[in-house]
Amino acid sequence: MGHGASRLRRIVHEVAKFGAVGGAGVLVNLLVFNLVRHVTDLQVVRASVIATVVAIIFNYVGFRYFTYRDRDKSRRTREMTLFLLFSAIGLVIENGVLFVATYGFGWDTPLQNNIFKFLGIGVATLFRFWSYRSWVFRALPAGEPVADAESILKGERAGRSRAARQRVP
């Protein structure tokens, strides 16, 4: 199998893991949305924003510790900042679709709310997949293994013994 097939297999595997976390996140999003709509008098888009925020938190944990657990973890503050930024853009996309359907076209039955909530999630997911894999959970450079403390110490000892051998005439 060639390099291209291996790369394709890795991407398919990544998409499957992203889809598993994302699918669970969609369920969380829709369940929270419908629960908030059922137990409160909040307007549809406000309930949707609450549900989206809950799903964003759920998804971060799933992406960091399942989908992208092998990715660079050295800059968590940067990662979290970018994740929140791109998630906020996704939130606007997702809830913008629902807002337009509800207030622009008057489609405001519970079924229509769920259909457009789901459609908004789908559109926002395309953006999120691209942005998370490109900017947030960055791949480690190929050929650069992550050094652990033991390998650093071994390399340091080997360097000292080579230097000691070179000084002896």
Side-chain angles (χ1 to χ4, degrees):
M1 221 175 262
H3 178 68
S6 174
R7 179 174 162 80
L8 178 62
R9 188 176 31 233
R10 281 193 314 270
I11 290 173
V12 167
H13 186 69
E14 179 183 341
V15 168
K17 288 167 65 173
F18 185 91
V21 171
V26 168
L27 291 177
V28 166
N29 198 330
L30 291 172
L31 287 171
V32 171
F33 172 65
N34 284 291
L35 179 67
V36 170
R37 291 284 292 153
H38 183 69
V39 299
T40 71
D41 290 331
L42 285 177
Q43 295 174 340
V44 68
V45 175
R46 288 183 182 165
S48 181
V49 168
I50 291 169
T52 302
V53 169
V54 171
I56 286 170
I57 294 165
F58 175 87
N59 285 346
Y60 178 78
V61 172
F63 291 142
R64 167 42 52 215
Y65 298 103
F66 178 67
T67 305
Y68 298 115
R69 69 176 173 247
D70 61 333
R71 299 292 177 99
D72 184 11
K73 296 176 183 84
S74 64
R75 293 181 248 157
R76 285 286 171 100
T77 302
R78 177 185 179 276
E79 174 184 290
M80 183 62 82
T81 301
L82 289 173
F83 182 84
L84 291 174
L85 171 69
F86 291 123
S87 293
I89 294 168
L91 181 143
V92 170
I93 293 168
E94 175 182 326
N95 292 291
V97 170
L98 181 61
F99 180 88
V100 169
T102 303
Y103 301 110
F105 294 102
W107 296 327
D108 196 20
T109 68
L111 177 61
Q112 290 168 330
N113 291 161
N114 278 285
I115 289 170
F116 288 102
K117 171 80 171 158
F118 186 77
L119 182 63
I121 290 170
V123 173
T125 296
L126 296 174
F127 169 77
R128 288 179 178 128
F129 178 75
W130 168 80
S131 64
Y132 293 168
R133 83 178 308 266
S134 299
W135 297 96
V136 180
F137 301 106
R138 304 215 32 174
L140 292 169
E144 264 187 50
V146 177
D148 59 9
E150 292 173 5
S151 64
I152 292 171
L153 290 174
K154 287 178 186 175
E156 189 176 291
R157 282 189 217 125
R160 273 191 250 144
S161 61
R162 263 186 258 127
R165 282 193 304 262
Q166 289 173 353
R167 278 189 250 145
V168 177

